Amino acid sequence: MEKINLKILDFYNLDIELNGIASNSQTKEGNVTGLLRERLPLVTKYWLTDLAKRVAAEKTAVEELKNELIKKYGVEDANGNINIPVYIDDEKDESEIKRKVINPEYVSFEKEFSELLNTEKELEYKPIKLSDLEKLETTENYVTLFKLVTTESV
């Protein structure tokens, strides 16, 4: 097993690269298939699935922290949901049509969450040999995953 330090944001990117994402189901815009949905040798798929589980566990932990930040900076609506509006009414504006200003609570949330996403975390993984992927034909670019690929025999 190898170890690499990645930013938390890279864990999110790696999750998308491995599992895919569908941004718009009607137009298929923004869709990423995900490497695990491609035809790969069984051993390669096994180690990529193991990697996906490790990445998902980290992402779940970060999502819990994100939810805590939302509770810290957000407001509860009538249905009990908590959100952080980006814009709020300007309390200083005394006209009938309220002007919108950026919510300072949202700015604080963004700042703290960005700091978290830029924090580095160690990831342990089985190195992926370039030869394990040589028959793969794809239109995707797996930028984060390529950090884990080795061109030498492992």
Side-chain angles (χ1 to χ4, degrees):
M1 294 295 246
E2 294 283 326
K3 294 179 182 179
I4 188 172
N5 284 332
L6 296 174
K7 290 184 178 183
I8 299 295
L9 180 61
D10 291 329
F11 281 80
Y12 278 84
N13 293 335
L14 190 53
D15 180 65
I16 292 169
E17 291 175 6
L18 292 169
N19 297 306
I21 188 170
S23 296
N24 188 326
S25 60
Q26 292 177 345
T27 65
K28 306 291 187 206
E29 273 183 44
N31 286 356
V32 175
T33 304
L35 189 57
L36 286 171
R37 293 191 181 144
E38 302 284 356
R39 296 184 76 150
L40 295 166
L42 184 61
V43 173
T44 302
K45 193 165 272 200
Y46 171 82
W47 287 113
L48 288 174
T49 300
D50 180 69
L51 176 61
K53 288 177 186 174
R54 292 167 189 266
V55 168
E58 188 61 36
K59 189 177 159 196
T60 298
V62 171
E63 286 297 310
E64 288 176 18
L65 294 172
K66 179 181 175 183
N67 288 335
E68 287 179 24
L69 283 177
I70 291 171
K71 288 177 186 173
K72 178 179 176 181
Y73 292 110
V75 291
E76 190 172 339
D77 65 15
N79 298 326
N81 299 317
I82 300 174
N83 61 45
I84 310 169
V86 178
Y87 296 100
I88 57 174
D89 289 333
D90 185 358
E91 298 297 328
K92 296 175 186 172
D93 190 349
E94 295 178 6
S95 65
E96 287 184 32
I97 302 173
K98 289 283 187 187
R99 194 179 64 155
K100 296 283 186 183
V101 294
I102 294 179
N103 183 354
E105 295 296 315
Y106 180 80
V107 172
S108 297
F109 164 79
E110 249 329 283
K111 182 178 184 265
E112 274 194 63
F113 191 58
S114 291
E115 287 173 6
L116 177 61
L117 291 177
N118 284 301
T119 302
E120 286 196 355
K121 174 80 178 180
E122 186 176 80
L123 173 66
E124 188 174 28
Y125 67 99
K126 171 84 164 99
I128 303 150
K129 293 183 274 185
L130 188 58
S131 61
D132 293 335
L133 305 172
E134 75 179 323
K135 292 183 181 178
L136 177 67
E137 293 182 23
T138 182
T139 58
E140 302 297 338
N141 188 8
Y142 303 104
V143 176
T144 307
L145 181 76
F146 290 158
K147 294 176 183 178
L148 311 179
V149 175
T150 179
T151 55
E152 302 170 11
S153 60
V154 177

